[in-house]
Structures are given as C-alpha cells and as structure tokens.
C-alpha cells in the first residue's frame, strides 16, 4: 500500500523528498507528536498538499502500522503504535 500510494511523495523509505517538501515519516519528533487517529485522518481526509486516500478499514490499519514502523528514533522494543 505504501509503495503504491505514498512512496512517490514520501520516498521509498518514508524519509520524505526534499524537493517536494514532503514530511519525513521516519522522524521521531513527528511520530511522537501525531496520534494514530491523526495519522489515519490525514490519510483519509488529506492534509495540506497531501491528497485524501479512501482505503478499506483493514488497509488503512495496515498502512498505519507500517507508517509507525518507520519511526527511526523509537527506543528498541518500544511499541510503535498508540502514541
């Protein structure tokens, strides 16, 4: 899902594309300040330049788990969901 819907703007590894001004999803500060609900809403509704994506509930849940897995700054063994 990420590769198809998100990588063209957020990069294959989720670290953003400077030329496009897209968010680095691996940034721990971003991950820590965004709740799961906020991330789901950004995907569903869009935000700023980001378009909305109408995904089935399970795909949205899977994408959220993947986005959380990109958190490069989370201490080892820390759950990467539920911020």
């Amino acid at each position: 899902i990420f590769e198809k819907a998100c990588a063209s703007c957020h990069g294959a590894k989720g670290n953003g594309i400077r030329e496009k001004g897209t968010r680095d999803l691996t940034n721990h500060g971003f991950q820590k300040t965004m709740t799961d609900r906020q991330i789901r809403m950004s995907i569903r509704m869009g935000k700023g330049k980001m378009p909305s994506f109408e995904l089935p509930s399970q795909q949205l849940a899977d994408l959220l788990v993947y986005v959380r897995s990109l958190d490069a700054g989370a201490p080892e063994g820390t759950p990467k969901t539920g911020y």
Side-chain angles (χ1 to χ4, degrees):
I1 301 166
F2 186 87
E3 185 178 309
K4 187 175 181 179
C6 311
S8 65
C9 291
H10 290 286
K13 296 182 180 180
N15 53 348
I17 298 174
R18 181 176 287 171
E19 295 79 20
K20 292 186 177 189
T22 54
R23 183 170 301 283
D24 178 355
L25 302 175
T26 68
N27 180 283
H28 184 62
F30 160 75
Q31 290 275 355
K32 199 165 91 171
T33 59
M34 293 289 286
T35 65
D36 288 353
R37 182 178 189 282
Q38 288 172 310
I39 293 173
R40 281 193 306 271
M41 292 303 293
S42 293
I43 295 167
R44 279 221 190 258
M45 308 296 287
K47 188 171 184 180
K49 292 188 261 182
M50 182 176 149
S52 62
F53 293 92
E54 291 188 33
L55 300 172
S57 295
Q58 187 58 56
Q59 284 185 353
L60 182 60
D62 293 345
L63 184 56
L64 173 64
V65 169
Y66 182 76
V67 168
R68 288 298 193 193
S69 79
L70 299 173
D71 186 351
E76 192 65 34
T78 301
K80 294 182 180 180
T81 59
Y83 287 116

